[in-house]
C-alpha cells in the first residue's frame, strides 16, 4: 500500500474552501436535533453520495477530508467518531461502530510535522468496532471481524477475527458459517 504525503503548507484556496465548508457542516450537524429531517439533510449534504441507504452517523462527529470518507449501506456509527480521512476511509455495508472510535488514516512525518503521511483504512462488510477503539492508517478490518473496546489496531485484521488490546492481537476466529 503506497503512502500519500501531503504538505499542509501547500493547500490551495479551493481546498481550503472545501475544508471550511466541511467544518461548518460538521458544526451544524453537531448542533441539530438528531434523527430529524433537518439532521438527515445536513448528513446528506456533508457526505453527498458517499453514505449508503439506511446508514446513520450520530453526533457529535468530527474529522477532516470528509470527501475521502465513504460509508456503505445500513451502517450505524455512534457518537464521537473522529474520522481523519486524508488517506481515505472506506466503510462497508452493515458495519457497526461504537462511540468514541478514532479512524486515523493520516499521521505526521516525525521530522516535518506539516507533512501528513496517509494510507487508507478499509472496514469490510459486517465488521463491528468496539467503543474507544483506534484504527491506524493502512489497516484493513476484515468481514465480520470484531475490534474490542479500547483496542489500538496497528495491523490488518482478517475476516471473522476478534482482536483486543493495545496493540490489538487476535484472540479467536468466529465461525464463518454462522453468518448469513
Amino acid at each position: 500500500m503506497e503512502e500519500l504525503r501531503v504538505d499542509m503548507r501547500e493547500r490551495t484556496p479551493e481546498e481550503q474552501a472545501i475544508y471550511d465548508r466541511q467544518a461548518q457542516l460538521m458544526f451544524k450537524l453537531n448542533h441539530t436535533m438528531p434523527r430529524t429531517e433537518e439532521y438527515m439533510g445536513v448528513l446528506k449534504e456533508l457526505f453527498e453520495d458517499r453514505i449508503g441507504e439506511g446508514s446513520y452517523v450520530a453526533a457529535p462527529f468530527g474529522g477532516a477530508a470528509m470527501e475521502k470518507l465513504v460509508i456503505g449501506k445500513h451502517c450505524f456509527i455512534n457518537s464521537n467518531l473522529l474520522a481523519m480521512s486524508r488517506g481515505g476511509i472506506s466503510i462497508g455495508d452493515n458495519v457497526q461502530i461504537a462511540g468514541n472510535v478514532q479512524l486515523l488514516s493520516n499521521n505526521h512525518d516525525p521530522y516535518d510535522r506539516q507533512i501528513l503521511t496517509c494510507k487508507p483504512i478499509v472496514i469490510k462488510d459486517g465488521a463491528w468496532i468496539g467503543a474507544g477503539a483506534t484504527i491506524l492508517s493502512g489497516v484493513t478490518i476484515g468481514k465480520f471481524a470484531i475490534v474490542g473496546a479500547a483496542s489500538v489496531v496497528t495491523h490488518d485484521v482478517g475476516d471473522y477475527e476478534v482482536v483486543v488490546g493495545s496493540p490489538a492481537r487476535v484472540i479467536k476466529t468466529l465461525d464463518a458459517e454462522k453468518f448469513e
Side-chain angles (χ1 to χ4, degrees), residues 107-151:
N107 201 347
H108 294 267
D109 182 283
Y111 299 104
D112 183 349
R113 310 272 165 81
Q114 292 299 312
I115 302 289
L116 295 179
T117 59
C118 312
K119 289 184 181 178
I121 292 173
V122 176
I123 302 173
K124 294 186 177 179
D125 294 351
W128 174 18
I129 312 300
T134 299
I135 300 174
L136 299 181
S137 68
V139 168
T140 294
I141 306 297
K143 289 185 347 182
F144 296 100
I146 298 173
V147 174
S151 296

Side-chain angles (χ1 to χ4, degrees), residues 126-130 140-149 151-153 155-176 179:
W128 174 18
I129 312 300
T140 294
I141 306 297
K143 289 185 347 182
F144 296 100
I146 298 173
V147 174
S151 296
V152 177
V153 185
H155 292 84
D156 290 353
V157 176
D159 294 350
Y160 309 101
E161 289 183 343
V162 178
V163 299
V164 298
S166 178
R169 65 185 179 358
V170 177
I171 60 166
K172 70 179 176 180
T173 301
L174 301 172
D175 182 351
F179 292 92

Side-chain angles (χ1 to χ4, degrees), residues 76-79 81 91 95-99 101 103 123 127-130:
F76 179 78
I77 298 173
N78 214 333
S79 58
L81 175 69
I91 299 171
V95 170
Q96 294 183 54
I97 298 179
V101 167
L103 304 177
I123 302 173
W128 174 18
I129 312 300

